[in-house]
Amino acid sequence: MTHHAQVAWKRLYQICSYNGPAFPPISKIACAVSLALTRSHLVAPSVLALVLGKVAWTQKTLADAEHFPIRNSLYMHAQDGHLYLSSFVFSLFEGVILILRTIYLAILFSPSIAMAPFADCFGDQFRKTWLHIVHVTLERAGPAFIKWGQWAATRPDLFPRDLCTELSKLHTKAPAHSFAYTKRTIEKAFGRKLPEIFDDFEEAPVASGSIAQVHRATLRFRYPGQVSKPIVVAVKVRHPGVGESIRRDFVIINLVAKISNFIPTLRWLRLDESVQQFAVFMMSQVDLAREAAQLSRFIYNFRKWKDVSFPRPLYPLVHPAVLVETYEKGESVAQYVDENEGNERVKSALAHIGTHALLKMLLVDNFIHADMHPGNILVRVPHGKPSRKRLFKSRPHVIFLDVGMTAELSKSDRVNLLEFFKAVAVRDGRTAANCTLRLSKKQSCPNPEAFIEEVEKSFAFWGTPEGDVVHPADCMHHLLEQVRRHKVNIDGNVCTVMVTTLVLEGWQRKLDPDYDVMRTLQTLLFKVDWAESLFYTIEGLMAP
């Protein structure tokens, strides 16, 4: 009790040292009595001192509330004025930068914008020239525009197919930043010197993209008295100022998208709709900690698979600006896709592994790697003299990289998409069209009946002996072109999944022409109890 009384007295002492207005008499009495009674160790005086101290503390609070702002209003206004001035100067500086950046981009994009209204008027060669100019312009405009172009390439429902094909060729190579910046960023992120984290760190980056660059390093990992194998890691470091640069460019992109609605020749691009959906995509690209979380989720989903893996983020070495993950060795699957002859067994196995991995992501996990082009897939093939045990079990190993772009579907979107795939597989045009119209919560198609009628005519032709030779994937491409012409809305994640399926089907058809991804999907979807047995079916297909 004495202790609590002394604490109350300390509070009272703060009142006495407070330079506010004069306190009422009760405060002075409390001050005197508490000072005397806290010297005593008796219970009663201590209780009295505690009560009086509490009363005095209440008086002090009231004094603060009533008088402090008045007496110190000049100081507070001075602080606020300093804050407002700093904010104004910063906003002015940001405004100047935005204006200069806008002028630069206006000059850069003026050729492609001027040619856009005539892209369909002067023949194929003129259109090819325009597509190439758009490609080069986006590459020179910076990381935000490169990423926007890559994202737009996955939206054939919004943009013409030839434009999407051209944008899919956008390269993300960028000049590397200095090693000094890399070192400073890592040390700031993890609060330790670089040699305390890594035994060896290669100053020259292995690769440099529009968002970050990757260094190879050896992790400093030692147990006392034990010799451990060096752990080779990939260290991804975000480029300096890339977050601010993308934020500024996104403000400009959004403004241009809004203005495009009032320009008849650009309205067909529906830029405002694509920019809103692009914002979500960009968030996952810039934040490396988010990519690490997505890697962990994929690793968990595929924890039982022997032929598929992902780089493993090494916590706690994860930060929004720095990501340390295991370094994965392997050859790009593009080498096998572009190879005309040889390695038939490996190619066929890769086609099966890729298909089953996508089906698991789509139908079992509902968490899809939405950037599965050959550049993001590595292959490890067992080498050496095959033993009797390995003769039939030797299979290539697939590593999926760069999981910054992912997609998840709501329950209703998932059901509609699966029904859509079923309709495409059996060439049911009306059902496919109705499913497509349900693939957006805010459908604004101006004439749904005309869209359904056109899709039905196309599917009716594909159902004839002459049209039966058309591959289901080509049917989907044609349907997406009809979606664009009729201005049918499709939610971004749904379209991303559709395009990912088509991209995967495209390079797997090159690996193994006899293997049909769409037919495998059809076989699974038309099982009566597919919802219950799908997990076991896919796991059985991939059993070692």
Side-chain angles (χ1 to χ4, degrees), residues 49-87:
L50 176 62
V51 173
L52 290 174
K54 290 291 185 181
V55 172
W57 181 255
T58 304
Q59 293 293 333
K60 186 250 181 187
T61 304
L62 293 173
D64 282 345
E66 294 175 3
H67 300 284
F68 185 78
I70 299 174
R71 184 173 182 85
N72 294 275
S73 58
L74 184 60
Y75 175 74
M76 291 181 67
H77 284 310
Q79 277 193 323
D80 291 342
H82 177 73
L83 182 63
Y84 294 150
L85 181 61
S86 301
S87 178

Side-chain angles (χ1 to χ4, degrees), residues 198-234:
F198 305 102
D199 276 340
D200 180 55
F201 194 97
E202 295 184 8
E203 296 189 10
V206 176
S208 179
S210 58
I211 301 296
Q213 65 186 40
V214 180
H215 294 262
R216 184 163 44 202
T218 304
L219 198 62
R220 188 179 183 87
F221 187 75
R222 295 287 184 271
Y223 288 108
Q226 294 184 7
V227 178
S228 59
K229 185 178 179 180
I231 300 177
V232 180
V233 296

Side-chain angles (χ1 to χ4, degrees), residues 9-236:
W9 165 245
K10 288 181 181 178
R11 293 179 178 176
L12 190 62
Y13 175 77
Q14 293 175 6
I15 297 174
C16 295
S17 61
Y18 175 70
N19 294 323
F23 296 111
I26 183 67
S27 295
K28 297 179 180 179
I29 296 171
C31 181
V33 175
S34 292
L35 177 61
L37 294 182
T38 49
R39 301 301 180 183
S40 171
H41 295 278
L42 298 177
V43 175
S46 297
V47 172
L48 182 58
L50 176 62
V51 173
L52 290 174
K54 290 291 185 181
V55 172
W57 181 255
T58 304
Q59 293 293 333
K60 186 250 181 187
T61 304
L62 293 173
D64 282 345
E66 294 175 3
H67 300 284
F68 185 78
I70 299 174
R71 184 173 182 85
N72 294 275
S73 58
L74 184 60
Y75 175 74
M76 291 181 67
H77 284 310
Q79 277 193 323
D80 291 342
H82 177 73
L83 182 63
Y84 294 150
L85 181 61
S86 301
S87 178
F88 173 75
V89 171
F90 178 77
S91 299
L92 187 64
F93 181 70
E94 277 287 307
V96 171
I97 293 178
L98 274 175
I99 292 171
L100 294 177
R101 177 68 174 165
T102 303
I103 294 172
Y104 169 76
L105 292 174
I107 296 172
L108 183 64
F109 278 90
S110 55
S112 56
I113 293 174
M115 294 173 66
F118 311 103
D120 297 322
C121 302
F122 298 118
D124 292 340
Q125 189 58 43
F126 183 86
R127 184 169 180 84
K128 288 180 181 178
T129 303
W130 175 70
L131 291 173
H132 178 70
I133 291 175
V134 170
H135 179 123
V136 174
T137 301
L138 289 173
E139 281 191 337
R140 293 181 177 177
F145 290 91
I146 292 175
K147 288 298 179 183
W148 183 85
Q150 291 175 333
W151 176 85
T154 68
R155 299 305 307 271
D157 60 314
L158 297 177
F159 305 101
R161 186 174 177 180
D162 56 351
L163 179 60
C164 292
T165 302
E166 186 66 30
L167 294 180
S168 67
K169 302 174 186 176
L170 276 170
H171 298 292
T172 58
K173 292 182 180 179
H177 59 251
S178 67
F179 174 69
Y181 177 81
T182 293
K183 181 174 180 290
R184 187 166 61 251
T185 302
I186 294 174
E187 291 178 350
K188 182 180 179 181
F190 302 135
R192 291 197 167 196
K193 295 295 183 182
L194 199 67
E196 296 178 12
I197 306 173
F198 305 102
D199 276 340
D200 180 55
F201 194 97
E202 295 184 8
E203 296 189 10
V206 176
S208 179
S210 58
I211 301 296
Q213 65 186 40
V214 180
H215 294 262
R216 184 163 44 202
T218 304
L219 198 62
R220 188 179 183 87
F221 187 75
R222 295 287 184 271
Y223 288 108
Q226 294 184 7
V227 178
S228 59
K229 185 178 179 180
I231 300 177
V232 180
V233 296
V235 184
K236 186 180 290 189

Side-chain angles (χ1 to χ4, degrees), residues 44 82 101 126 136 141 180 191 228 240 265 283 303 307 317 331 351 387 414 466 491:
H82 177 73
R101 177 68 174 165
F126 183 86
V136 174
S228 59
T265 55
M283 284 296 296
R303 63 194 181 281
D307 302 321
L317 300 179
E331 303 172 293
S387 63
R414 201 168 172 224
E466 295 84 4
D491 285 348

